[in-house]
C-alpha cells in the first residue's frame, strides 16, 4: 500500500499553498523511562510543524536504532514499533521539506556511522551555506571508498550528519564543536550518539529550541507545548549559539558562537502552537494583542467578528474584545483535511476550500462580518472564502490580517511561495481587497506586530515582511529547496553522502 506524502492540502488547492511550517524536533535523555513513547507524544505535540514524514532514533547505550517513514506521527508508529525501540536516549523528528524532496531517503532522524559508533540527527531550519559545506565534505571524504559507495540524500541535514561523522579521530561532541561554527542559516538541532544527547541552536536563534526537566531526565524540544505533553517542566530556552550535551554526568553547556538573536517573527503569527511560550511570551497572548491593535488601527462597523480557524482565532478574540463587536464561530474547520492521504477526485478537488472550512449559515446570514486571518500569500484562499461567505448570506465581508503583507520568501525554514507569486508584491492593499472581493481589507503594521511580541525589533527576523535577511544569502543558484538535486553550473548535482 502506498504511504502518504503529506501533500493533500496542496492537492486540494494547488494554486494556493500557504506558508508551510518548518519541522519539529524532540530529544530525551531518561534512563528507566520509555523514551520512544515520550518522543512519540512529543512529536504528536509538534505535528503542526511538519506532516510529511516522522522518525525516532533510540540508543540503548550500545547501538542506535532508527525507525522512520512517510506520513503523520500516528501513521508511522504503532504500539508494537514503539515497544521495540527500547533505550535510554531518543530523538524524534516531524518533517516538512524545506531542503530536498519529500521522499523516504530524506526523512529524519538522519543516521551515520562514526569511527567510535554512530550519530543520529534531527534538524529544524534551513542552512544557507550548504554549497560550501558540500565542498568541505568532499574534501574531508576524498579517497574514502566506504563513503563514496554509500547511498545519497539531498538535504542540508545529511550534509551536517556526514560532516559530524567525517572526523574519524574525534568523538561526536568534539566533532560538533568543529562543525557547528561553520554552519550558516537557521538550525535548531537534536542529535545523539550511543551515550549522549546533544542540542544546538544557530547564533541568531531563528527557530525555537527549549530545554525541559523530567523527574529522571532531560528533554529538548522545538516548543514548550511538547514539554507539557510529556510532563516535563520548562527550564529555559537553549540560547542562540549554544551547544548542550546531556549524559550520565548531567548537563553541560558551551558556546560555539556569540549570540546575535534574530528570532523568527512568523513563529508568533502562525508557526508555533498558541499554547507555546517563546521569549517568555505565550503565543496566544501575542496573537490576541495583535488583534487588539488591528481593532484600533482598522476599525469597521460590523455585527460579528469571526476567525479563520485555527490560527486566526486568538487575534479575532482580541479584535472583538477591543472593538466591542461580538465574537462568533462562523466557520467550522474539518480538522482531518490534510491529515489523510487519499487523493481526492477532480470533482472533490473543485470544492477547494469547502473541504477545509464550512460556513454556519444561521450565524453569518445577513451579518456584516469581520473575518480575521493570519496571512495572505497568493490570495486564492481568501478570494474563495469571501465568495463562499457571500453565498451563505453574509451582507458584508471585512478582512483583517494579523501580519503585514508577505513580500519576501524565507530561506530559514519556512516554505513560502516564490516572490513572483506573492500577491502583495504586485498589488497595493486596495488592489488586493478588490482582487479577493472583500468590502475592506487591512493588515496589522510591522511596528504594531513587533510591539505585540514584546521583543525588541533588533532581536527579530522580519525578512518575509521587510526583505532584510539577518544571515547573508549566497547567489540565487546556490540556494533553494532543490539545490542538492539539480545540476549546478553544468556539473552533476551536489549529492551528499548518506
Amino acid at each position: 500500500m502506498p504511504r502518504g506524502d503529506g501533500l493533500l492540502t496542496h492537492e486540494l488547492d494547488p494554486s494556493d499553498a500557504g506558508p508551510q511550517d518548518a519541522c519539529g524536533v524532540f530529544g530525551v535523555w531518561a534512563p528507566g523511562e520509555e523514551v520512544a513513547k515520550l518522543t512519540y507524544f512529543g512529536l504528536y505535540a509538534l505535528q503542526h510543524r511538519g506532516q510529511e514524514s516522522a522518525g525516532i532514533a533510540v540508543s540503548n547505550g550500545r547501538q542506535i536504532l532508527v525507525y522512520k517513514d512517510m506520513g503523520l506521527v500516528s501513521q508511522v508508529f504503532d504500539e508494537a514499533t514503539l515497544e521495540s525501540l527500547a533505550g535510554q536516549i531518543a530523538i524524534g523528528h516531524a518533517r516538512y521539506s524545506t531542503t530536498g524532496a519529500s521522499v523516504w531517503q530524506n526523512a529524519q532522524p538522519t543516521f551515520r556511522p562514526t569511527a567510535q559508533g554512530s550519530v543520529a540527527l534531527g534538524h529544524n531550519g534551513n542552512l544557507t551555506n550548504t554549497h560550501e559545506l558540500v565542498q568541505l565534505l568532499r574534501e574531508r571524504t576524498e579517497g574514502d571508498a566506504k563513503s563514496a559507495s554509500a547511498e545519497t540524500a539531498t538535504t542540508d541535514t545529511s550534509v551536517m550528519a556526514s560532516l559530524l561523522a567525517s572526523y574519524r579521530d574525534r568523538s561526536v561532541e568534539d566533532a560538533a564543536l568543529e562543525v557547528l561554527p561553520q554552519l550558516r542559516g537557521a538550525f535548531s538541532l537534536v542529535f545523539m550518539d550511543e551515550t549522549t544527547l546533544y542540542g544546538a541552536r544557530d547564533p541568531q536563534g531563528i527557530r525555537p529550541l527549549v530545554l525541559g526537566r523530567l523527574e529522571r531526565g532531560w528533554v529538548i524540544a522545538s516548543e514548550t507545548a511538547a514539554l507539557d505533553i510529556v510532563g516535563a517542566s520548562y527550564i529555559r530556552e537553549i540560547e542562540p549559539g549554544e551547544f548542550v550535551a546531556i549524559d550520565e554526568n548531567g548537563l553541560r553547556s558551551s558556546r560555539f558562537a556569540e549570540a546575535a538573536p534574530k528570532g523568527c517573527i512568523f513563529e508568533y503569527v502562525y508557526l508555533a502552537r498558541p499554547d507555546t511560550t517563546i521569549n517568555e511570551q505565550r503565543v496566544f497572548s501575542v496573537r490576541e494583542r495583535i488583534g487588539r491593535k488591528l481593532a484600533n488601527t482598522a476599525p469597521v462597523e460590523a455585527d460579528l467578528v469571526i476567525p479563520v480557524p485555527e490560527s486566526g482565532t486568538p487575534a479575532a478574540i482580541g479584535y472583538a474584545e477591543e472593538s466591542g463587536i461580538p465574537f462568533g464561530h462562523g466557520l467550522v474547520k474539518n480538522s482531518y483535511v490534510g491529515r489523510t492521504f487519499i487523493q481526492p477526485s477532480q470533482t472533490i478537488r473543485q470544492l477547494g476550500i469547502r473541504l477545509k472550512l464550512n460556513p454556519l449559515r444561521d450565524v453569518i446570514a445577513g451579518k456584516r462580518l469581520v473575518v480575521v486571518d493570519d496571512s495572505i500569500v497568493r490570495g486564492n484562499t481568501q478570494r474563495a472564502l469571501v465568495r463562499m461567505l457571500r453565498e451563505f448570506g453574509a451582507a458584508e465581508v471585512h478582512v483583517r490580517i494579523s501580519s503585514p503583507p508577505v513580500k519576501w520568501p524565507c530561506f530559514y525554514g519556512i516554505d513560502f511561495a516564490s516572490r513572483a507569486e506573492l500577491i502583495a508584491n504586485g498589488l497595493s492593499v486596495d488592489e488586493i481587497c478588490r482582487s479577493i472581493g472583500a468590502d475592506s481589507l487591512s493588515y496589522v503594521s510591522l511596528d504594531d506586530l513587533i510591539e505585540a511580541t514584546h521583543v525588541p525589533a533588533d532581536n527579530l527576523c522580519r525578512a518575509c515582511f521587510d526583505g532584510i535577511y539577518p544571515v547573508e544569502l549566497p547567489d540565487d543558484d546556490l540556494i533553494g529547496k532543490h539545490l542538492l538535486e539539480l545540476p549546478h553550473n553544468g556539473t552533476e548535482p551536489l549529492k551528499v553522502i548518506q
Side-chain angles (χ1 to χ4, degrees):
M1 179 180 295
R3 298 306 300 256
D5 61 6
L7 296 179
L8 180 59
T9 302
H10 292 258
E11 292 299 327
L12 287 175
D13 192 0
S15 65
D16 195 28
Q20 298 303 308
D21 299 6
C23 297
V25 296
F26 186 90
V28 56
W29 185 92
E33 299 285 353
E34 294 182 285
V35 291
K37 289 187 177 180
L38 288 173
T39 304
Y40 170 86
F41 286 111
L43 292 180
Y44 203 84
L46 300 172
Q47 183 73 88
H48 61 289
R49 299 188 71 88
Q51 296 100 40
E52 292 183 4
S53 63
I56 294 175
V58 173
S59 170
N60 59 10
R62 301 180 305 276
Q63 63 181 3
I64 294 175
L65 181 62
V66 180
Y67 188 92
K68 61 184 182 180
D69 209 342
M70 306 303 292
L72 302 172
V73 175
S74 59
Q75 293 174 310
V76 171
F77 298 99
D78 57 23
E79 188 81 26
T81 302
L82 294 172
E83 291 285 356
S84 71
L85 296 172
Q88 61 189 36
I89 311 172
I91 65 170
H93 189 268
R95 182 175 190 246
Y96 175 80
S97 55
T98 54
T99 298
S102 179
V103 294
W104 183 89
Q105 290 87 341
N106 289 337
Q108 299 180 37
T110 299
F111 176 87
R112 296 287 184 278
T114 66
Q116 288 93 11
S118 53
V119 60
L121 183 146
H123 171 212
N124 172 209
N126 206 42
L127 300 184
T128 58
N129 67 330
T130 303
H131 61 294
E132 295 176 357
L133 299 173
V134 169
Q135 298 304 330
L136 174 62
L137 179 60
R138 285 174 171 169
E139 293 170 7
R140 292 197 53 78
T141 57
E142 187 175 4
D144 188 332
K146 182 178 179 182
S147 293
S149 63
E151 290 185 71
T152 59
T154 57
T155 67
D156 49 0
T157 310
S158 298
V159 181
M160 287 186 281
S162 295
L163 278 172
L164 288 172
S166 71
Y167 289 80
R168 299 293 181 183
D169 58 342
R170 307 207 182 175
S171 66
V172 168
E173 186 167 349
D174 289 340
L177 291 172
E178 290 285 338
V179 171
L180 290 171
Q182 302 181 72
L183 308 180
R184 300 290 181 269
F187 55 93
S188 288
L189 306 177
V190 293
F191 54 110
M192 61 188 285
D193 55 26
E194 280 73 11
T195 61
T196 309
L197 171 67
Y198 305 102
R201 195 174 179 201
D202 64 81
Q204 289 71 37
I206 294 173
R207 299 279 149 239
L209 195 66
V210 296
L211 179 69
R213 193 77 165 95
L214 292 167
E215 185 176 347
R216 294 189 292 175
W218 296 86
V219 173
I220 300 171
S222 290
E223 297 187 27
T224 60
L227 304 181
D228 297 337
I229 200 173
V230 300
S233 57
Y234 170 73
I235 300 299
R236 62 177 177 85
E237 292 193 5
I238 291 178
E239 295 295 321
E242 184 182 12
F243 171 52
V244 299
I246 301 167
D247 59 17
E248 60 185 3
N249 297 314
L251 180 143
R252 54 190 177 275
S253 169
S254 60
R255 283 207 164 273
F256 64 88
E258 185 178 346
K262 293 289 183 182
C264 172
I265 198 169
F266 210 75
E267 293 280 353
Y268 297 95
V269 172
Y270 175 76
L271 294 182
R273 282 175 50 146
D275 53 339
T276 279
T277 298
I278 303 176
N279 277 314
E280 310 304 325
Q281 300 295 314
R282 185 74 66 182
V283 171
F284 186 99
S285 299
V286 173
R287 292 176 184 169
E288 196 174 36
R289 288 197 291 269
I290 296 170
R292 291 181 181 277
K293 290 182 178 296
L294 264 173
N296 287 322
T297 59
V300 65
E301 289 189 9
D303 304 308
L304 191 68
V305 177
I306 68 170
V308 178
E310 301 291 338
S311 54
T313 301
I317 292 172
Y319 192 103
E321 290 182 348
E322 188 70 15
S323 66
I325 302 170
F327 172 88
H329 289 284
L331 296 164
V332 175
K333 182 179 180 181
N334 179 357
S335 300
Y336 299 95
V337 169
R339 303 293 187 265
T340 178
F341 300 101
I342 303 301
Q343 290 296 320
S345 68
Q346 182 59 31
T347 301
I348 295 295
R349 190 180 289 114
Q350 287 173 349
L351 293 174
I353 195 171
R354 295 179 190 234
L355 288 173
K356 307 175 191 178
L357 298 169
N358 196 37
L360 297 173
R361 186 184 297 272
D362 57 332
V363 173
I364 66 176
K367 300 286 179 58
R368 298 170 297 173
L369 303 178
V370 177
V371 181
V372 182
D373 204 353
D374 60 84
S375 60
I376 297 179
V377 180
R378 292 178 178 90
N380 296 324
T381 294
Q382 285 77 18
R383 188 177 300 114
L385 177 59
V386 170
R387 184 187 309 120
M388 183 170 63
L389 290 171
R390 294 196 191 283
E391 289 175 4
F392 276 69
E396 296 176 10
V397 181
H398 302 273
V399 177
R400 297 294 180 265
I401 303 298
S402 61
S403 64
V406 177
K407 295 185 176 182
W408 301 83
C410 177
F411 297 100
Y412 306 132
I414 308 174
D415 195 16
F416 279 117
S418 68
R419 187 156 191 246
E421 297 172 298
L422 296 170
I423 191 171
N425 268 323
L427 301 177
S428 67
V429 173
D430 287 342
E431 289 170 331
I432 296 171
C433 181
R434 289 194 293 272
S435 174
I436 66 175
D439 291 283
S440 71
L441 168 66
S442 292
Y443 296 81
V444 73
S445 71
L446 182 55
D447 288 343
D448 279 349
L449 173 58
I450 292 168
E451 189 176 326
T453 68
H454 290 179
V455 177
D458 288 344
N459 289 3
L460 292 167
C461 175
R462 315 173 303 271
C464 55
F465 302 129
D466 64 11
I468 301 173
Y469 293 94
V471 181
E472 185 178 358
L473 302 177
D475 294 339
D476 289 346
D477 63 338
L478 294 176
I479 197 167
K481 182 171 180 176
H482 301 291
L483 171 69
L484 302 180
E485 298 165 344
L486 301 175
H488 179 64
N489 291 337
T491 66
E492 289 298 309
L494 297 177
K495 292 288 188 177
V496 183
I497 296 166
Q498 173 160 303

